[in-house]
Amino acid sequence: MWTDDRTIVDPGIGFAKRPEHSYGVLAGLSELSAMLGRPVLVGPSRKSFMRHALANRPPLQRDWGTAAAVSAAVLGGAHIVRVHAVAEMVQVVRVAEEIRRHRL
C-alpha cells in the first residue's frame, strides 16, 4: 500500500520551463519544501537552464554551474540531488550541508 510518507517531490527543474522559472524554483525551494512537507529531490545537473548564465557552454562543461545549483538546492532544503559528476558533487553537498547546519 502506498502512503504519503513514501512520497518525494521533484519540482522538475528545467522541464517545460523557461530558465527564469527554474531559477525561481531554486530560489524559493525552502518555501516550497516547507509548504509541501515532503522530502524534495532536485536534478539540476548540466541542465539547459544554465546556458545563458554560462555563456552557452555545452552540457559537459556545466559542472561548475551544476555545483552552484546543487549548493542552492541543499541550502534551500533539498534532501536528494541528481547529478552526473557524483564524486565532485558529494564535496559540494557536504560543504553546503555544513553551511546549512550552522545557520543562525
Side-chain angles (χ1 to χ4, degrees):
M1 176 181 217
W2 194 264
T3 59
D4 282 345
D5 65 329
R6 295 174 53 180
T7 301
I8 296 170
V9 176
D10 179 352
I13 299 292
F15 288 97
K17 295 176 186 71
R18 295 168 58 176
E20 58 269 23
H21 298 146
S22 291
Y23 286 117
V25 169
L26 283 170
L29 198 60
S30 60
E31 292 83 5
L32 179 65
S33 179
M35 179 181 70
L36 297 173
R38 303 296 331 132
V40 176
L41 175 147
V42 177
S45 192
R46 301 177 181 169
K47 292 273 177 70
S48 64
F49 78 90
M50 292 184 249
R51 250 190 316 218
H52 178 73
L54 300 178
N56 268 340
R57 290 186 182 273
L60 291 176
Q61 294 179 14
R62 294 183 193 149
D63 285 338
W64 288 108
T66 295
V70 166
S71 292
V74 170
L75 293 172
H79 297 80
I80 303 164
V81 292
R82 188 202 57 78
V83 297
H84 291 90
V86 175
E88 294 84 350
M89 295 307 131
V90 166
Q91 293 181 35
V92 171
V93 168
R94 287 182 176 161
V95 171
E97 284 178 337
E98 280 299 307
I99 294 168
R100 184 172 67 183
R101 193 171 73 77
H102 286 87
R103 278 189 180 151
L104 300 177

Coordinates of all heavy atoms in Angstrom, one line a residue:
M1 N 0.8 -1.2 0.0 CA 0.0 0.0 0.0 C 0.9 1.2 0.0 O 1.8 1.4 0.8 CB -0.9 0.0 1.2 CG -1.7 1.2 1.4 SD -2.8 1.1 2.9 CE -4.2 1.8 2.3
W2 N 0.6 2.2 -0.9 CA 1.3 3.4 -1.0 C 0.8 4.4 0.0 O -0.4 4.6 0.1 CB 1.2 4.0 -2.4 CG 2.2 5.0 -2.7 CD1 2.1 6.3 -2.5 CD2 3.6 4.8 -3.0 NE1 3.2 7.0 -2.8 CE2 4.2 6.1 -3.1 CE3 4.4 3.7 -3.2 CZ2 5.5 6.2 -3.4 CZ3 5.7 3.9 -3.6 CH2 6.3 5.1 -3.6
T3 N 1.7 5.1 0.7 CA 1.3 6.1 1.7 C 2.1 7.4 1.4 O 3.1 7.4 0.8 CB 1.5 5.7 3.1 OG1 2.9 5.4 3.3 CG2 0.7 4.4 3.4
D4 N 1.5 8.5 1.9 CA 2.2 9.8 1.7 C 3.6 9.9 2.2 O 4.4 10.6 1.8 CB 1.3 10.9 2.3 CG 0.2 11.3 1.4 OD1 0.1 10.9 0.2 OD2 -0.7 12.0 1.9
D5 N 3.8 9.1 3.3 CA 5.2 9.2 3.9 C 6.2 8.6 3.0 O 7.4 8.6 3.3 CB 5.2 8.6 5.3 CG 4.9 7.1 5.3 OD1 4.1 6.6 4.4 OD2 5.4 6.4 6.2
R6 N 5.9 8.0 1.9 CA 6.8 7.4 1.0 C 6.9 8.3 -0.3 O 7.5 7.8 -1.3 CB 6.4 6.0 0.6 CG 6.4 5.1 1.8 CD 5.9 3.7 1.5 NE 6.5 3.1 0.3 CZ 6.2 1.9 -0.2 NH1 5.3 1.2 0.4 NH2 6.8 1.5 -1.2
T7 N 6.4 9.5 -0.3 CA 6.4 10.4 -1.4 C 7.5 11.4 -1.4 O 7.7 12.1 -0.4 CB 5.1 11.1 -1.5 OG1 4.0 10.1 -1.6 CG2 5.0 12.0 -2.8
I8 N 8.3 11.5 -2.5 CA 9.3 12.5 -2.6 C 8.8 13.5 -3.7 O 8.3 13.0 -4.8 CB 10.6 11.9 -3.0 CG1 11.1 10.9 -1.9 CG2 11.7 12.9 -3.4 CD1 12.3 10.1 -2.3
V9 N 9.0 14.7 -3.5 CA 8.6 15.7 -4.5 C 9.8 16.2 -5.4 O 10.8 16.5 -4.9 CB 8.0 17.0 -3.8 CG1 7.6 18.1 -4.8 CG2 6.8 16.5 -2.9
D10 N 9.6 16.2 -6.7 CA 10.6 16.7 -7.6 C 9.9 17.9 -8.4 O 9.0 17.7 -9.1 CB 11.0 15.6 -8.6 CG 12.0 16.0 -9.6 OD1 12.3 17.3 -9.7 OD2 12.5 15.2 -10.4
P11 N 10.4 19.1 -8.1 CA 9.8 20.3 -8.8 C 10.1 20.3 -10.3 O 9.6 21.2 -11.0 CB 10.3 21.5 -8.0 CG 11.6 21.0 -7.4 CD 11.4 19.5 -7.2
G12 N 10.9 19.5 -10.8 CA 11.1 19.4 -12.2 C 12.0 20.5 -12.8 O 11.6 21.1 -13.8
I13 N 13.1 20.8 -12.1 CA 14.0 21.8 -12.6 C 14.3 21.6 -14.1 O 14.7 20.5 -14.5 CB 15.3 21.9 -11.8 CG1 15.0 22.1 -10.3 CG2 16.3 22.8 -12.4 CD1 14.5 23.5 -10.0
G14 N 14.1 22.6 -14.9 CA 14.5 22.5 -16.3 C 13.4 21.9 -17.3 O 13.6 21.9 -18.5
F15 N 12.4 21.3 -16.7 CA 11.4 20.6 -17.6 C 10.2 21.5 -17.9 O 9.5 21.9 -16.9 CB 10.9 19.3 -17.0 CG 12.0 18.2 -17.0 CD1 12.8 18.0 -15.9 CD2 12.2 17.5 -18.1 CE1 13.8 17.0 -15.9 CE2 13.2 16.5 -18.1 CZ 14.0 16.3 -17.0
A16 N 10.0 21.8 -19.1 CA 8.8 22.6 -19.6 C 8.8 23.9 -18.9 O 7.7 24.4 -18.6 CB 7.5 21.8 -19.4
K17 N 10.0 24.5 -18.6 CA 10.0 25.8 -18.0 C 11.0 26.7 -18.8 O 11.9 26.2 -19.4 CB 10.5 25.7 -16.6 CG 9.6 24.9 -15.6 CD 10.2 24.8 -14.3 CE 9.4 23.9 -13.4 NZ 9.4 22.5 -13.7
R18 N 10.9 28.0 -18.6 CA 11.9 28.9 -19.1 C 13.0 29.0 -18.0 O 12.7 28.6 -16.9 CB 11.2 30.2 -19.4 CG 10.2 30.1 -20.5 CD 9.3 31.3 -20.6 NE 10.1 32.5 -20.9 CZ 9.5 33.7 -21.1 NH1 8.2 33.8 -21.1 NH2 10.3 34.8 -21.3
P19 N 14.2 29.4 -18.4 CA 15.2 29.4 -17.4 C 14.9 30.2 -16.1 O 15.2 29.7 -15.0 CB 16.4 30.1 -18.1 CG 16.1 29.8 -19.6 CD 14.6 29.8 -19.7
E20 N 14.1 31.3 -16.3 CA 13.8 32.1 -15.1 C 12.9 31.3 -14.1 O 12.9 31.5 -12.9 CB 13.2 33.4 -15.4 CG 12.0 33.4 -16.3 CD 12.2 33.4 -17.8 OE1 13.4 33.1 -18.2 OE2 11.3 33.8 -18.6
H21 N 12.1 30.4 -14.7 CA 11.2 29.5 -13.8 C 12.1 28.5 -13.0 O 11.8 28.3 -11.8 CB 10.2 28.7 -14.7 CG 9.3 29.6 -15.4 ND1 8.8 29.3 -16.7 CD2 8.7 30.8 -15.1 CE1 8.0 30.2 -17.1 NE2 7.9 31.2 -16.2
S22 N 13.1 27.9 -13.7 CA 13.9 27.0 -12.9 C 14.7 27.8 -11.8 O 14.9 27.3 -10.7 CB 14.9 26.3 -13.9 OG 14.2 25.4 -14.7
Y23 N 15.2 28.9 -12.2 CA 16.0 29.7 -11.2 C 15.0 30.1 -10.0 O 15.4 30.1 -8.9 CB 16.6 31.0 -11.8 CG 17.8 30.7 -12.6 CD1 17.8 30.9 -14.0 CD2 18.9 30.1 -12.0 CE1 19.0 30.7 -14.7 CE2 20.1 29.8 -12.8 CZ 20.1 30.1 -14.1 OH 21.2 29.8 -14.9
G24 N 13.8 30.4 -10.4 CA 12.8 30.8 -9.4 C 12.5 29.6 -8.4 O 12.3 29.8 -7.2
V25 N 12.4 28.4 -9.0 CA 12.1 27.2 -8.2 C 13.3 27.0 -7.2 O 13.1 26.8 -6.0 CB 11.9 26.0 -9.0 CG1 11.9 24.7 -8.2 CG2 10.6 26.1 -9.8
L26 N 14.5 27.2 -7.7 CA 15.7 27.0 -6.8 C 15.7 28.1 -5.7 O 16.0 27.8 -4.6 CB 17.0 27.1 -7.6 CG 17.3 25.8 -8.4 CD1 18.5 26.1 -9.3 CD2 17.7 24.7 -7.4
A27 N 15.4 29.3 -6.1 CA 15.4 30.4 -5.2 C 14.3 30.3 -4.1 O 14.5 30.7 -3.0 CB 15.2 31.8 -5.9
G28 N 13.2 29.7 -4.4 CA 12.1 29.5 -3.5 C 12.0 28.1 -2.9 O 10.9 27.8 -2.4
L29 N 13.0 27.3 -3.1 CA 12.9 25.9 -2.7 C 12.6 25.7 -1.2 O 11.8 24.8 -0.8 CB 14.2 25.2 -3.0 CG 14.1 23.7 -3.0 CD1 13.1 23.2 -4.1 CD2 15.5 23.1 -3.3
S30 N 13.1 26.6 -0.3 CA 12.8 26.4 1.1 C 11.3 26.6 1.4 O 10.8 25.9 2.2 CB 13.7 27.4 2.0 OG 13.4 28.7 1.6
E31 N 10.7 27.6 0.7 CA 9.3 27.8 0.9 C 8.5 26.6 0.4 O 7.5 26.2 1.0 CB 8.8 29.1 0.3 CG 9.4 30.4 0.9 CD 10.8 30.7 0.5 OE1 11.4 30.1 -0.4 OE2 11.3 31.7 1.1
L32 N 8.9 26.2 -0.8 CA 8.2 25.0 -1.4 C 8.3 23.8 -0.5 O 7.3 23.1 -0.3 CB 8.8 24.7 -2.8 CG 8.2 23.6 -3.6 CD1 6.7 23.9 -3.9 CD2 9.0 23.3 -4.8
S33 N 9.5 23.5 -0.1 CA 9.7 22.4 0.8 C 8.9 22.4 2.1 O 8.2 21.5 2.5 CB 11.2 22.3 1.2 OG 11.4 21.2 2.0
A34 N 8.8 23.6 2.7 CA 8.0 23.8 3.9 C 6.5 23.7 3.6 O 5.8 23.0 4.4 CB 8.3 25.2 4.5
M35 N 6.1 24.2 2.5 CA 4.7 24.1 2.2 C 4.2 22.7 1.9 O 3.2 22.3 2.3 CB 4.4 24.9 0.9 CG 3.0 24.9 0.4 SD 2.7 25.9 -1.0 CE 3.6 24.9 -2.3
L36 N 5.1 21.9 1.2 CA 4.7 20.5 0.9 C 4.9 19.5 2.0 O 4.2 18.5 2.1 CB 5.5 20.1 -0.4 CG 5.2 20.9 -1.6 CD1 6.2 20.5 -2.7 CD2 3.7 20.7 -2.1
G37 N 5.9 19.8 2.9 CA 6.1 18.9 4.0 C 6.6 17.5 3.6 O 6.4 16.6 4.3
R38 N 7.2 17.5 2.4 CA 7.8 16.2 1.9 C 9.2 16.4 1.5 O 9.7 17.5 1.3 CB 7.0 15.8 0.6 CG 5.5 15.6 0.7 CD 5.0 14.6 1.6 NE 5.8 13.4 1.8 CZ 6.1 12.9 3.0 NH1 5.7 13.4 4.1 NH2 6.9 11.8 3.1
P39 N 10.0 15.3 1.5 CA 11.4 15.4 1.0 C 11.4 15.9 -0.4 O 10.5 15.5 -1.2 CB 11.9 14.0 1.1 CG 11.0 13.3 2.1 CD 9.7 13.9 2.0
V40 N 12.4 16.7 -0.8 CA 12.4 17.3 -2.1 C 13.7 16.7 -2.8 O 14.8 16.7 -2.3 CB 12.5 18.8 -2.0 CG1 12.7 19.4 -3.4 CG2 11.2 19.3 -1.4
L41 N 13.5 16.3 -4.1 CA 14.6 15.9 -5.0 C 14.8 17.0 -6.0 O 13.8 17.5 -6.6 CB 14.2 14.6 -5.6 CG 15.2 14.0 -6.7 CD1 15.2 12.5 -6.6 CD2 14.9 14.5 -8.1
V42 N 16.0 17.4 -6.3 CA 16.3 18.4 -7.3 C 17.4 17.8 -8.2 O 18.4 17.3 -7.8 CB 16.8 19.7 -6.7 CG1 17.2 20.7 -7.7 CG2 15.7 20.3 -5.8
G43 N 17.1 17.9 -9.5 CA 18.1 17.4 -10.5 C 18.5 18.5 -11.5 O 18.1 18.5 -12.6
P44 N 19.4 19.4 -11.0 CA 19.8 20.4 -11.9 C 21.0 20.1 -12.8 O 21.4 20.9 -13.7 CB 20.2 21.5 -10.9 CG 20.8 20.8 -9.8 CD 20.0 19.5 -9.7
S45 N 21.6 19.0 -12.7 CA 22.8 18.6 -13.3 C 22.9 18.9 -14.8 O 22.2 18.3 -15.6 CB 23.1 17.1 -13.1 OG 24.5 16.8 -13.4
R46 N 23.8 19.8 -15.2 CA 24.1 20.1 -16.6 C 22.9 20.6 -17.4 O 22.9 20.6 -18.6 CB 24.7 19.0 -17.3 CG 26.0 18.5 -16.6 CD 26.6 17.3 -17.3 NE 27.9 16.9 -16.6 CZ 28.5 15.8 -16.8 NH1 28.0 14.9 -17.7 NH2 29.6 15.5 -16.2
K47 N 21.8 21.0 -16.8 CA 20.5 21.3 -17.5 C 20.7 22.6 -18.3 O 21.5 23.5 -18.0 CB 19.4 21.5 -16.5 CG 19.0 20.3 -15.8 CD 17.9 19.5 -16.5 CE 17.5 18.2 -15.9 NZ 16.8 18.3 -14.7
S48 N 19.9 22.7 -19.3 CA 20.0 23.8 -20.3 C 19.6 25.1 -19.7 O 20.0 26.2 -20.2 CB 19.1 23.5 -21.5 OG 17.7 23.4 -21.1
F49 N 18.9 25.2 -18.6 CA 18.5 26.5 -18.0 C 19.7 27.3 -17.6 O 19.7 28.5 -17.5 CB 17.6 26.3 -16.8 CG 18.2 25.9 -15.5 CD1 18.7 26.8 -14.6 CD2 18.3 24.6 -15.2 CE1 19.3 26.5 -13.4 CE2 18.9 24.2 -14.0 CZ 19.4 25.1 -13.1
M50 N 20.9 26.6 -17.5 CA 22.1 27.3 -17.1 C 22.9 27.9 -18.3 O 23.8 28.7 -18.2 CB 23.1 26.3 -16.4 CG 22.6 25.9 -15.1 SD 23.9 24.8 -14.3 CE 23.1 23.3 -14.4
R51 N 22.4 27.6 -19.5 CA 23.1 28.0 -20.7 C 23.5 29.5 -20.8 O 24.6 29.9 -21.0 CB 22.3 27.7 -22.0 CG 22.9 26.6 -22.8 CD 22.2 26.4 -24.1 NE 20.7 26.5 -23.9 CZ 19.9 25.7 -24.5 NH1 20.2 24.9 -25.5 NH2 18.6 25.8 -24.3
H52 N 22.5 30.3 -20.6 CA 22.7 31.8 -20.7 C 23.7 32.3 -19.6 O 24.6 33.0 -20.0 CB 21.4 32.6 -20.6 CG 21.6 34.0 -20.6 ND1 21.9 34.7 -21.8 CD2 21.6 35.0 -19.7 CE1 22.0 36.0 -21.5 NE2 21.8 36.2 -20.3
A53 N 23.5 31.8 -18.4 CA 24.4 32.2 -17.3 C 25.9 31.8 -17.6 O 26.8 32.4 -17.1 CB 23.9 31.7 -16.0
L54 N 26.0 30.7 -18.3 CA 27.3 30.1 -18.6 C 27.8 30.3 -20.0 O 28.6 29.5 -20.5 CB 27.3 28.6 -18.2 CG 26.9 28.2 -16.8 CD1 26.8 26.7 -16.6 CD2 27.9 28.8 -15.8
A55 N 27.4 31.3 -20.6 CA 27.8 31.7 -21.9 C 27.7 30.6 -23.0 O 28.6 30.3 -23.7 CB 29.3 32.2 -21.9
N56 N 26.5 29.9 -22.9 CA 26.2 28.8 -23.9 C 27.2 27.6 -23.9 O 27.3 27.0 -24.9 CB 26.2 29.4 -25.3 CG 24.8 29.8 -25.7 OD1 23.8 29.4 -25.1 ND2 24.7 30.6 -26.7
R57 N 27.8 27.4 -22.7 CA 28.6 26.2 -22.6 C 27.8 24.9 -22.9 O 26.6 24.9 -22.5 CB 29.3 26.1 -21.3 CG 30.3 27.2 -21.0 CD 31.0 26.9 -19.7 NE 32.0 28.0 -19.4 CZ 33.2 28.0 -19.9 NH1 33.7 27.0 -20.6 NH2 34.0 29.0 -19.6
P58 N 28.4 23.9 -23.5 CA 27.7 22.7 -23.7 C 27.5 21.9 -22.4 O 28.2 22.2 -21.4 CB 28.6 21.9 -24.7 CG 29.9 22.5 -24.6 CD 29.7 23.9 -24.1
P59 N 26.6 20.9 -22.4 CA 26.3 20.2 -21.1 C 27.6 19.7 -20.4 O 27.6 19.8 -19.1 CB 25.4 19.1 -21.6 CG 24.7 19.6 -22.7 CD 25.7 20.5 -23.4
L60 N 28.5 19.1 -21.1 CA 29.7 18.6 -20.4 C 30.6 19.6 -19.7 O 31.5 19.3 -19.0 CB 30.5 17.7 -21.4 CG 29.8 16.4 -21.8 CD1 30.7 15.7 -22.8 CD2 29.5 15.5 -20.6
Q61 N 30.3 20.9 -20.0 CA 31.1 22.0 -19.4 C 30.3 22.7 -18.4 O 30.6 23.9 -18.1 CB 31.6 22.9 -20.5 CG 32.6 22.3 -21.4 CD 33.1 23.2 -22.5 OE1 32.9 24.4 -22.5 NE2 33.8 22.7 -23.5
R62 N 29.2 22.2 -17.9 CA 28.4 22.9 -16.9 C 28.5 22.3 -15.5 O 27.6 22.6 -14.7 CB 26.9 22.8 -17.4 CG 26.6 23.5 -18.7 CD 25.1 23.4 -19.0 NE 25.0 23.8 -20.4 CZ 24.0 23.3 -21.2 NH1 23.1 22.4 -20.7 NH2 23.9 23.7 -22.4
D63 N 29.5 21.6 -15.2 CA 29.6 21.1 -13.8 C 29.8 22.2 -12.8 O 29.3 22.0 -11.6 CB 30.8 20.0 -13.7 CG 30.4 18.7 -14.4 OD1 29.1 18.5 -14.5 OD2 31.3 18.0 -14.8
W64 N 30.5 23.3 -13.1 CA 30.6 24.3 -12.1 C 29.3 25.0 -11.9 O 28.9 25.3 -10.7 CB 31.7 25.4 -12.5 CG 33.1 24.8 -12.4 CD1 33.9 24.5 -13.4 CD2 33.8 24.5 -11.2 NE1 35.1 24.0 -12.9 CE2 35.1 24.0 -11.5 CE3 33.5 24.7 -9.8 CZ2 36.0 23.7 -10.6 CZ3 34.4 24.3 -8.9 CH2 35.6 23.8 -9.2
G65 N 28.5 25.2 -12.9 CA 27.2 25.7 -12.8 C 26.3 24.8 -12.0 O 25.5 25.2 -11.2
T66 N 26.5 23.5 -12.3 CA 25.7 22.5 -11.5 C 26.1 22.6 -10.0 O 25.2 22.5 -9.2 CB 26.0 21.1 -12.1 OG1 25.5 21.0 -13.4 CG2 25.4 20.0 -11.2
A67 N 27.3 22.8 -9.7 CA 27.8 22.9 -8.3 C 27.1 24.0 -7.6 O 26.6 23.9 -6.5 CB 29.3 23.0 -8.2
A68 N 26.9 25.2 -8.3 CA 26.2 26.3 -7.8 C 24.7 26.0 -7.5 O 24.2 26.3 -6.5 CB 26.3 27.5 -8.7
A69 N 24.1 25.3 -8.5 CA 22.7 24.9 -8.4 C 22.5 23.9 -7.2 O 21.5 24.0 -6.5 CB 22.2 24.4 -9.7
V70 N 23.4 23.0 -7.1 CA 23.4 22.0 -6.1 C 23.5 22.6 -4.7 O 22.7 22.3 -3.8 CB 24.4 20.9 -6.3 CG1 24.6 20.0 -5.0 CG2 24.0 20.0 -7.4
S71 N 24.4 23.6 -4.6 CA 24.6 24.3 -3.3 C 23.3 25.0 -3.0 O 22.8 25.0 -1.8 CB 25.7 25.3 -3.4 OG 26.9 24.7 -3.5
A72 N 22.7 25.7 -3.9 CA 21.4 26.4 -3.7 C 20.3 25.5 -3.3 O 19.5 25.7 -2.4 CB 21.0 27.2 -4.9
A73 N 20.3 24.3 -3.9 CA 19.3 23.3 -3.6 C 19.4 22.8 -2.2 O 18.4 22.7 -1.4 CB 19.3 22.1 -4.6
V74 N 20.6 22.5 -1.8 CA 20.9 21.9 -0.5 C 20.5 23.0 0.6 O 19.9 22.8 1.6 CB 22.3 21.4 -0.3 CG1 22.6 21.1 1.1 CG2 22.5 20.2 -1.2
L75 N 21.0 24.3 0.3 CA 20.7 25.3 1.2 C 19.2 25.6 1.3 O 18.7 26.1 2.3 CB 21.5 26.6 0.9 CG 23.0 26.5 1.0 CD1 23.7 27.7 0.5 CD2 23.4 26.3 2.5
G76 N 18.5 25.3 0.2 CA 17.1 25.5 0.2 C 16.3 24.4 0.8 O 15.1 24.4 0.8
G77 N 17.0 23.3 1.2 CA 16.3 22.2 1.9 C 16.1 20.9 1.1 O 15.5 20.0 1.5
A78 N 16.8 20.8 -0.1 CA 16.7 19.6 -0.9 C 17.3 18.4 -0.1 O 18.3 18.6 0.6 CB 17.4 19.7 -2.2
H79 N 16.6 17.3 -0.1 CA 17.1 16.1 0.6 C 17.9 15.2 -0.4 O 18.7 14.4 0.1 CB 15.9 15.3 1.1 CG 15.1 16.0 2.1 ND1 14.2 17.0 1.8 CD2 15.1 16.0 3.5 CE1 13.6 17.5 2.9 NE2 14.2 16.9 3.9
I80 N 17.6 15.3 -1.7 CA 18.2 14.5 -2.7 C 18.6 15.3 -3.9 O 17.8 16.2 -4.3 CB 17.3 13.3 -3.1 CG1 16.8 12.5 -1.9 CG2 18.0 12.4 -4.2 CD1 15.6 11.6 -2.2
V81 N 19.8 15.1 -4.4 CA 20.1 15.8 -5.7 C 20.5 14.7 -6.7 O 21.2 13.8 -6.3 CB 21.3 16.9 -5.5 CG1 20.8 18.0 -4.7 CG2 22.5 16.3 -4.9
R82 N 20.2 15.0 -7.9 CA 20.6 14.1 -9.0 C 21.6 14.8 -9.8 O 21.4 15.9 -10.3 CB 19.4 13.7 -9.9 CG 19.7 12.6 -10.9 CD 18.8 12.6 -12.1 NE 18.8 13.9 -12.9 CZ 19.7 14.3 -13.7 NH1 20.8 13.6 -13.9 NH2 19.5 15.4 -14.4
V83 N 22.8 14.2 -10.0 CA 23.9 14.8 -10.6 C 24.6 13.8 -11.5 O 24.5 12.6 -11.4 CB 24.9 15.4 -9.6 CG1 24.2 16.5 -8.8 CG2 25.5 14.3 -8.7
H84 N 25.5 14.3 -12.4 CA 26.3 13.4 -13.2 C 27.7 13.2 -12.6 O 28.2 12.1 -12.5 CB 26.5 14.0 -14.6 CG 25.3 14.0 -15.4 ND1 24.4 15.1 -15.4 CD2 24.8 13.1 -16.3 CE1 23.4 14.8 -16.2 NE2 23.6 13.6 -16.8
A85 N 28.3 14.3 -12.2 CA 29.7 14.2 -11.6 C 29.6 14.0 -10.1 O 29.7 14.8 -9.3 CB 30.4 15.5 -11.8
V86 N 29.3 12.7 -9.8 CA 28.9 12.3 -8.4 C 30.0 12.6 -7.4 O 29.8 13.3 -6.4 CB 28.5 10.8 -8.3 CG1 28.3 10.4 -6.9 CG2 27.3 10.6 -9.2
A87 N 31.2 12.2 -7.6 CA 32.3 12.4 -6.6 C 32.5 13.9 -6.3 O 32.7 14.3 -5.2 CB 33.6 11.8 -7.1
E88 N 32.5 14.7 -7.4 CA 32.7 16.1 -7.2 C 31.5 16.8 -6.4 O 31.7 17.6 -5.5 CB 32.9 16.8 -8.5 CG 34.1 16.5 -9.3 CD 34.0 15.2 -10.1 OE1 33.0 14.4 -10.0 OE2 35.0 14.9 -10.9
M89 N 30.3 16.4 -6.8 CA 29.1 16.9 -6.1 C 28.9 16.5 -4.7 O 28.3 17.1 -3.9 CB 27.9 16.7 -7.0 CG 27.9 17.4 -8.3 SD 28.2 19.1 -8.3 CE 29.5 19.2 -9.5
V90 N 29.5 15.3 -4.3 CA 29.5 14.9 -2.9 C 30.2 15.9 -2.1 O 29.7 16.3 -1.0 CB 30.2 13.5 -2.8 CG1 30.5 13.2 -1.3 CG2 29.3 12.4 -3.3
Q91 N 31.3 16.5 -2.6 CA 32.0 17.5 -1.8 C 31.1 18.8 -1.7 O 31.1 19.4 -0.6 CB 33.3 17.9 -2.5 CG 34.4 16.8 -2.5 CD 35.6 17.2 -3.2 OE1 36.0 18.4 -3.1 NE2 36.3 16.3 -3.9
V92 N 30.5 19.1 -2.8 CA 29.6 20.3 -2.8 C 28.5 20.2 -1.8 O 28.2 21.1 -1.0 CB 29.1 20.6 -4.2 CG1 28.0 21.7 -4.2 CG2 30.2 20.9 -5.2
V93 N 27.9 19.0 -1.8 CA 26.8 18.7 -0.9 C 27.2 18.8 0.6 O 26.6 19.4 1.4 CB 26.1 17.4 -1.2 CG1 25.1 17.0 -0.1 CG2 25.3 17.5 -2.5
R94 N 28.4 18.2 0.9 CA 28.9 18.1 2.2 C 29.2 19.5 2.8 O 28.8 19.8 3.9 CB 30.1 17.3 2.3 CG 29.8 15.8 2.2 CD 31.0 14.9 2.4 NE 30.6 13.5 2.3 CZ 31.4 12.5 2.1 NH1 32.7 12.7 1.8 NH2 31.0 11.3 2.1
V95 N 29.8 20.4 1.9 CA 30.0 21.7 2.4 C 28.7 22.5 2.5 O 28.5 23.2 3.5 CB 31.0 22.5 1.4 CG1 31.2 23.9 1.8 CG2 32.4 21.8 1.5
A96 N 27.8 22.4 1.6 CA 26.5 23.1 1.7 C 25.8 22.6 2.9 O 25.1 23.4 3.6 CB 25.7 22.9 0.4
E97 N 25.8 21.3 3.2 CA 25.1 20.8 4.4 C 25.7 21.4 5.7 O 25.0 21.8 6.7 CB 25.2 19.3 4.5 CG 24.2 18.7 3.6 CD 24.3 17.1 3.6 OE1 25.4 16.6 4.0 OE2 23.3 16.5 3.2
E98 N 27.1 21.6 5.7 CA 27.7 22.2 6.9 C 27.3 23.7 7.0 O 27.0 24.2 8.1 CB 29.2 22.1 6.8 CG 29.8 20.8 7.2 CD 29.5 20.4 8.6 OE1 29.8 21.2 9.6 OE2 28.9 19.3 8.9
I99 N 27.2 24.4 5.9 CA 26.7 25.8 5.9 C 25.3 25.8 6.5 O 25.0 26.6 7.4 CB 26.8 26.4 4.5 CG1 28.3 26.5 4.1 CG2 26.1 27.8 4.5 CD1 28.5 26.9 2.6
R100 N 24.4 24.9 6.0 CA 23.1 24.9 6.4 C 23.0 24.6 7.9 O 22.2 25.2 8.7 CB 22.3 23.9 5.6 CG 20.8 23.9 5.9 CD 20.0 23.0 5.0 NE 20.3 21.6 5.1 CZ 19.8 20.7 4.4 NH1 19.0 20.9 3.4 NH2 20.2 19.4 4.5
R101 N 23.8 23.7 8.4 CA 23.8 23.3 9.8 C 24.2 24.4 10.7 O 23.8 24.4 11.9 CB 24.8 22.1 9.9 CG 24.7 21.3 11.2 CD 25.5 20.1 11.2 NE 26.9 20.3 11.3 CZ 27.6 20.6 12.4 NH1 26.9 20.7 13.6 NH2 28.9 20.7 12.4
H102 N 25.0 25.3 10.2 CA 25.5 26.4 11.0 C 24.7 27.7 10.9 O 25.1 28.8 11.4 CB 27.0 26.7 10.7 CG 27.9 25.7 11.3 ND1 28.2 24.5 10.6 CD2 28.5 25.6 12.5 CE1 29.0 23.8 11.3 NE2 29.2 24.4 12.5
R103 N 23.5 27.6 10.3 CA 22.7 28.8 10.2 C 22.3 29.4 11.5 O 22.1 28.6 12.5 CB 21.3 28.5 9.5 CG 21.4 28.5 8.0 CD 20.1 28.3 7.4 NE 20.2 28.3 6.0 CZ 19.4 27.7 5.1 NH1 18.3 27.0 5.6 NH2 19.6 27.7 3.8
L104 N 22.2 30.7 11.6 CA 21.9 31.3 12.9 C 20.4 31.3 13.2 O 19.6 31.2 12.4 CB 22.4 32.8 12.9 CG 23.9 33.0 12.7 CD1 24.2 34.4 12.6 CD2 24.7 32.3 13.8

